[in-house]
Amino acid sequence: MRFEGTENYVATEDLTIAVNAAVTLQRPLLVKGEPGTGKTELARQIAQSLGLDMIEWSIKSTTRAQQGLYEYDAVSRLRDSQLGDARVQDVGNYIRRGKLWQAFTADERVVLLIDEIDKADIEFPNDLLQELDRMEFHVYETGETVRARLRPIVIITSNNEKELPDAFLRRCFFHYIRFPDMETMRAIVEVHHPGIKPALLTTALTQFYELRDTRGLKKKPSTSEVLDWLKLLLAEDLTPEDLKRDGANALPRLHGALLKNEQDVHLFEKLAFMARGQRR
């Protein structure tokens, strides 16, 4: 069972090595990188490549680790007991299975994605240490122990919004997805926009990387954003000449697909103003 990438996902050699190493070691694969570099999509493509189902747990700031195991609805049980409902005799009727429980008890091996773990409270990763390490947990209300029938392939993503605990990191295989270089980006574009004219692609990517390298940029555009931008360029049937910028307008065409805050737009307007002043 080896991951080699798919026709819809360009996986670099170091990324495929990391995925297969995590599978061999039976450890969670912790994937970090800029937003929009394909971390979440990686889990989906691993599942597709290996022919496995995927269970996705999207983490929010309010998510608690216990929710991934199970939740006990004591309020509903109390209400039903007051109404004389016979269901109250079985506490299991009020246990809601979480994503880890679903992954542990699946009939076949699955890919479990814990997406954007750094959004949760700092204690969230520590609260899952034993469960991910031992692949089991105890249900106190029923007295049962839930064990993984088949160890899932666990993919954990992080946007580096906060540091993760050392104890958690020790239990993971780590990989950082570097931002694609020009040649890798060409391969990614070919997957999403096959047959794009080379001259247009060269001009657009050159402009894109120049924009990313602009000093003072608050949010650098990502892979997903350049793909959206190229889709717009194709829809508008623009040529390489249409993309040329002069000192009067430093902003790229259809820049709303690339620049996502007013500070960065003002930065390019300021650069254009300074360029005009230097020519006078």
Side-chain angles (χ1 to χ4, degrees):
M1 183 175 284
R2 290 186 62 81
F3 174 68
E4 301 293 346
T6 70
E7 61 180 14
N8 298 318
Y9 189 90
V10 177
T12 57
E13 182 180 4
D14 59 340
L15 179 56
T16 58
I17 289 173
V19 172
N20 292 315
V23 172
T24 299
L25 293 172
Q26 296 188 332
R27 290 187 177 275
L29 174 62
L30 174 61
V31 185
K32 289 188 178 184
E34 292 181 29
T37 50
K39 300 185 295 298
T40 302
E41 186 61 25
L42 171 64
R44 300 189 179 112
Q45 295 302 320
I46 291 172
Q48 177 184 320
S49 173
L50 302 180
L52 306 176
D53 290 333
M54 190 181 87
I55 295 175
E56 183 172 349
W57 187 16
S58 298
I59 307 302
K60 301 177 181 179
S61 60
T62 56
T63 303
R64 295 177 293 106
Q66 181 64 33
Q67 293 172 312
L69 308 179
Y70 68 93
E71 291 183 280
Y72 170 52
D73 191 351
V75 174
S76 292
R77 192 182 186 198
L78 175 61
R79 182 190 63 236
D80 289 347
S81 68
Q82 292 171 339
L83 296 174
D85 194 324
R87 294 175 69 248
V88 300
Q89 302 303 319
D90 183 1
V91 69
N93 291 325
Y94 303 92
I95 299 292
R96 185 184 300 119
R97 297 185 177 190
K99 299 296 185 180
L100 267 71
W101 190 328
Q102 296 172 31
F104 287 3
T105 57
D107 293 332
E108 298 180 352
R109 195 178 196 186
V110 300
V111 173
L112 172 62
L113 169 63
I114 303 177
D115 201 23
E116 298 189 334
I117 194 171
D118 52 326
K119 281 188 175 180
D121 183 84
I122 189 62
E123 291 302 320
F124 179 91
N126 281 334
D127 291 341
L128 289 177
L129 284 180
Q130 298 302 322
E131 289 77 9
L132 290 176
D133 202 26
R134 298 179 181 177
M135 286 288 149
E136 67 177 38
F137 62 89
H138 187 70
V139 183
Y140 296 98
E141 289 78 6
T142 64
E144 66 180 307
T145 298
V146 177
R147 295 185 178 89
R149 296 175 183 173
L150 296 167
R151 193 179 188 99
I153 296 173
V154 182
I155 309 297
I156 303 172
T157 71
S158 169
N159 288 328
N160 247 354
E161 291 184 8
K162 62 170 67 80
E163 291 296 322
L164 298 175
D166 289 344
F168 180 80
L169 295 175
R170 283 198 301 271
R171 288 166 169 81
C172 298
F173 190 93
F174 172 77
H175 182 75
Y176 182 84
I177 297 183
R178 294 182 178 86
F179 195 82
D181 58 23
M182 181 80 80
E183 290 309 307
T184 304
M185 186 64 80
R186 286 180 183 274
I188 294 172
V189 171
E190 181 61 27
V191 168
H192 295 271
H193 304 300
I196 188 170
K197 293 179 180 179
L200 176 63
L201 181 58
T202 296
T203 302
L205 289 185
T206 299
Q207 196 169 116
F208 169 72
Y209 279 97
E210 288 175 351
L211 187 150
R212 270 187 59 89
D213 291 339
T214 301
R215 294 183 62 182
L217 203 62
K218 183 177 181 180
K219 182 193 178 302
K220 294 183 178 182
S222 67
T223 304
S224 61
E225 287 159 342
V226 74
L227 292 174
D228 286 346
W229 185 51
L230 287 169
K231 183 177 181 179
L232 290 174
L233 299 184
L234 292 171
E236 295 292 327
D237 197 24
L238 298 181
T239 66
E241 289 71 27
D242 293 327
L243 298 184
K244 289 182 179 178
R245 295 178 293 173
D246 54 34
N249 185 11
L251 286 166
R253 293 288 293 270
L254 300 166
H255 63 269
L258 299 174
L259 302 176
K260 299 302 177 74
N261 60 68
E262 63 276 15
Q263 294 98 318
D264 290 341
V265 172
H266 291 160
L267 172 63
F268 279 90
E269 291 174 343
K270 181 179 179 181
L271 292 174
F273 178 78
M274 293 171 62
R276 288 196 298 269
Q278 290 174 356
R279 291 200 306 272
R280 289 173 182 171

